[in-house]
Amino acid sequence: MTANTSDLTWDESSGADAFLAADQSVTSPPRGSPPLTAWGVALCASGTFIAAENAVVVTTILATPSLRAPVFLLLASLGLADLLAGVALVARFLFLFCLEPGDWSELVTSGLLVTSLTASLCSLMGVALDRYLSLSHALTYGSGQSRRRAALLLLLVWLGACTLGAGPAMGWHCLDQHDSCSVAPPLTRTYLSLLCGGFLVVVLATLQLYAGICRVARRHAHAIATQRHFLPAEQPYASKRGRGRGFSRLVVVLSVFVGCWMPFSLWGLLGDASSPPLYTYATLVPAAGSSLLNPLLYSLRNKDIRMVLLHACCPRRQHTHAVHAHPPVDV
């Protein structure tokens, strides 16, 4: 999914971010690779860092037999999706600045980005669902049956993401019909509208799950306070501060989630091929940037994953590594 970068040039001589559309047809002879720009360097560097960061997360989870709870399966899926997003950015850089750009490279990178972003967003919804179920069914969730259900859910997510990602390569593109292009060529307006509509549904469903998490957590806190024969307002300061930190973390997670995914989802529905490419970049960069922030907000906040990484970095140190059955609050 690109904003037709191969048809844009960067006017570095003027020191401004000028986007000039090239007036040429699809059947024109192949063009040579454009000169390397600051945008290309940022594209390669960010893609490499995203891929490396998420590769560490995926390797840590898959290489540790004790990390097999449903939450870790979801985090591995999230890391794999974000890893593919980083690979797609690096591939875009190679196709654009190192090799001769062509229609096939547009289709490959667009399909890979659609697959990775779809799987990443659905995995984030799965993490929210895991949090909700772990709180509302705390005694039974995390069993072998729950792991099988999580694995089945992820299988369906990846099948759906790969099917959507194969759309451009299977002919659902606008390379030969520019009038049907969306704000992110070579995707058609119909294709991107369906994709962004699905993104909005997933975003709203995820927000609803987090609202349910807040309701369940509040019920649990009130029940505990009632059993101890005092009101929540009379709890010790440390307990209040702990709940405050948890609420602050939740606000940060939701703010990043909405800020990364909502702009492009709305722009894909409202914009068209005549819209300025700069607007597409401004909304697509946060969506891709979520792949950079997800490991920090989800995987690396988990105490068990941090303990495994610490043990790998300092094997001679003594670590008390006891993996919890299911730590939803740390995820």
Side-chain angles (χ1 to χ4, degrees):
M1 188 191 312
T2 62
N4 205 9
T5 319
S6 59
D7 293 340
L8 304 172
T9 59
W10 186 301
D11 187 5
E12 293 184 317
S13 60
S14 64
D17 301 350
F19 291 89
L20 305 176
D23 185 14
Q24 51 186 299
S25 63
V26 178
T27 59
S28 60
R31 295 159 298 150
S33 299
L36 186 62
T37 64
W39 162 254
V41 174
L43 189 69
C44 182
S46 59
T48 302
F49 188 80
I50 289 172
E53 182 185 25
N54 286 281
V56 171
V57 171
V58 174
T59 303
T60 300
I61 295 176
L62 296 183
T64 308
S66 57
L67 302 180
R68 292 296 179 267
V71 61
F72 297 116
L73 297 179
L74 293 166
L75 292 179
S77 173
L78 178 61
L80 179 59
D82 293 334
L83 170 63
L84 289 180
V87 171
L89 294 179
V90 174
R92 179 61 186 164
F93 168 81
L94 294 176
F95 288 141
L96 183 60
F97 295 103
C98 300
L99 304 175
E100 192 172 274
D103 293 345
W104 67 274
S105 64
E106 293 278 348
L107 298 178
V108 169
T109 54
S110 297
L112 191 56
L113 272 175
V114 168
T115 300
S116 60
L117 294 181
T118 302
S120 179
L121 183 56
C122 292
S123 297
L124 287 174
M125 184 179 67
V127 171
L129 179 62
D130 172 83
R131 287 176 168 178
Y132 177 77
L133 293 177
S134 64
L135 287 175
S136 57
H137 302 82
L139 298 179
T140 58
Y141 193 69
S143 62
Q145 185 178 7
S146 299
R147 286 192 292 270
R148 287 191 293 271
R149 290 176 179 174
L152 178 60
L153 174 63
L154 291 179
L155 177 61
L156 295 176
V157 165
W158 279 97
L159 284 177
C162 292
T163 301
L164 286 174
M170 298 299 293
W172 206 347
H173 58 75
C174 61
L175 292 176
D176 51 353
Q177 295 179 347
H178 286 282
D179 294 339
S180 63
C181 280
S182 65
V183 295
L187 306 183
T188 65
R189 180 168 174 78
T190 302
Y191 179 89
L192 189 62
S193 297
L194 292 175
L195 187 66
C196 291
F199 283 179
L200 281 177
V201 171
V202 174
V203 168
L204 294 177
T206 303
L207 294 178
Q208 184 65 29
L209 285 171
Y210 276 110
I213 289 171
C214 292
R215 289 193 297 267
V216 173
R218 187 168 18 178
R219 261 199 325 265
H220 287 181
H222 182 74
I224 293 174
T226 303
Q227 290 176 359
R228 294 180 178 178
H229 304 289
F230 56 79
L231 296 176
E234 299 175 0
Q235 289 182 351
Y237 173 73
S239 177
K240 295 180 183 179
R241 186 174 57 182
R243 289 204 310 273
R245 285 198 303 266
F247 180 75
S248 299
R249 287 195 297 265
L250 180 60
V251 169
V252 171
V253 168
L254 291 181
S255 299
V256 172
F257 176 74
V258 174
C260 286
W261 288 102
M262 191 67 76
F264 181 72
S265 299
L266 293 175
W267 178 243
L269 291 173
L270 301 177
D272 54 31
S274 62
S275 304
L278 182 60
Y279 295 165
T280 302
Y281 281 114
T283 56
L284 188 56
V285 166
S290 66
S291 299
L292 180 67
L293 298 175
N294 286 339
L296 302 177
L297 294 176
Y298 297 92
S299 299
L300 298 181
R301 282 182 51 208
N302 183 272
K303 295 179 181 179
D304 297 321
I305 295 179
R306 288 204 309 269
M307 188 67 67
V308 172
L309 290 174
L310 183 61
H311 179 73
C313 295
C314 305
R316 295 185 178 180
R317 293 184 57 183
Q318 296 294 329
H319 304 289
T320 57
H321 183 206
V323 177
H324 304 287
H326 189 70
V329 179
D330 294 334
V331 178

